[in-house]
């Protein structure tokens, strides 16, 4: 690959497959130093394996790299490019995947409110409160219909009485919800939506010439990535990434450089330190 630089971004795992490090601000600085005075080639291939991390850092990393490599950036997903790693992939022109490779949903994780050693999906937080509110609305309408049918009350009066009754039942549940945490989770999801939408329009789906069609496709893909997968750890494998998400996927087995990349990746699988370097 005489016209392509190769950047390794490998985050070490335990024997159980848990990542020891996340994408963070330190990585932004490392990559900035690597490319600042580098005589860059035409194209870039990023060899990536990560469980995610800071979305802000993932965005800044890709913005730094796109400023130096304006023609074509590919990301080779060795095993995982989850969460913020998936966000990075949306800013690539193509994604190289094997059957062992996987992307993930963009429902950003954040620290668990009751356990500082754990994380919780932003989507789970938003859904929990939304589910309570949706249930309350449904119960109010059902009760109002029963009051109207049984006692002959006018609709407005029945809705008023039903609303008060449901409010008395649901208020204790709502009082246990952390509104600040809810708003933080909602902002994280919105941030992922804004960045992901921009990347898809500018890079992944630039081949769609119709602005309205591109907008529609991108909105559908982002809705799926943020709202429709059942779990943050859901594995989006190669076929789904290509056939459902319509991403520009290249088959790893067709790339002559894949065996060498795989060998380098395996050597760092049980390493203690993340590897961010050009090879």
């Amino acid at each position: 690959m005489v016209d392509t630089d190769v950047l390794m971004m490998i985050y070490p795992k335990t024997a159980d497959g848990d990542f020891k490090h996340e994408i963070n601000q330190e990585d932004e600085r490392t990559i900035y130093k690597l490319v600042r005075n580098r005589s860059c080639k035409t194209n870039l291939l990023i060899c990536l394996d990560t469980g995610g991390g800071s979305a802000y850092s993932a965005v800044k990393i890709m913005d730094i790299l796109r400023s130096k490599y304006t023609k074509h950036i590919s990301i080779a997903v060795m095993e995982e490019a989850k969460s913020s790693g998936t966000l990075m992939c949306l800013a690539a022109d193509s994604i190289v995947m094997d059957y062992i490779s996987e992307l993930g949903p963009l429902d950003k994780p954040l620290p668990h409110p009751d356990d500082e050693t754990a994380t919780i999906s932003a989507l789970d937080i938003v859904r929990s409160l939304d589910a309570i509110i949706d249930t309350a609305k449904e119960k109010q309408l059902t009760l109002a219909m029963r009051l109207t049918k049984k006692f002959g009350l006018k609709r407005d009066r029945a809705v008023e009485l039903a609303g008060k009754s449901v409010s008395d039942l649901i208020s204790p549940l709502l009082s246990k919800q952390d509104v600040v945490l809810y708003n933080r989770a909602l902002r994280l999801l919105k941030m992922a939506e804004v960045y992901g939408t921009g990347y898809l329009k500018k890079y992944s789906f630039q081949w769609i010439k119709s602005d309205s069609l591109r907008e529609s496709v991108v909105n559908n893909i982002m809705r799926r990535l943020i709202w429709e997968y059942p779990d943050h750890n859901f594995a989006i494998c190669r076929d789904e990434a290509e056939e459902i998400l319509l991403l520009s996927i290249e088959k790893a087995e067709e790339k002559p450089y894949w065996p060498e990349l795989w060998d380098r990746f395996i050597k760092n699988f049980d390493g203690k330190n993340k590897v961010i370097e050009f090879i």
Side-chain angles (χ1 to χ4, degrees), residues 79-117:
E79 283 189 336
E80 299 177 62
K82 308 299 281 290
S83 194
S84 295
T86 296
L87 188 58
M88 289 178 62
C89 289
L90 300 187
D93 298 289
S94 61
I95 308 167
V96 181
M97 298 180 72
D98 206 338
Y99 283 110
I100 199 171
S101 310
E102 63 182 69
L103 305 177
L106 294 181
D107 57 326
K108 302 300 298 171
L110 67 166
H112 197 288
D114 301 319
D115 184 356
E116 61 182 15
T117 66

Side-chain angles (χ1 to χ4, degrees), residues 191-211:
M191 179 187 66
E193 180 183 15
V194 170
Y195 282 131
T197 296
Y199 280 154
L200 286 177
K201 287 181 179 179
K202 190 172 183 180
Y203 303 113
S204 300
F205 292 106
Q206 60 180 324
W207 53 272
I208 302 179
K209 302 307 179 184
S210 167
D211 291 341

Side-chain angles (χ1 to χ4, degrees), residues 127-137 170-171 173-174 177:
R127 277 178 172 166
S128 64
L129 184 54
D130 287 350
I132 293 174
I133 295 172
D134 288 344
T135 300
K137 291 179 180 178
I170 218 77
S171 291
L173 292 176
L174 290 175
Q177 301 299 310

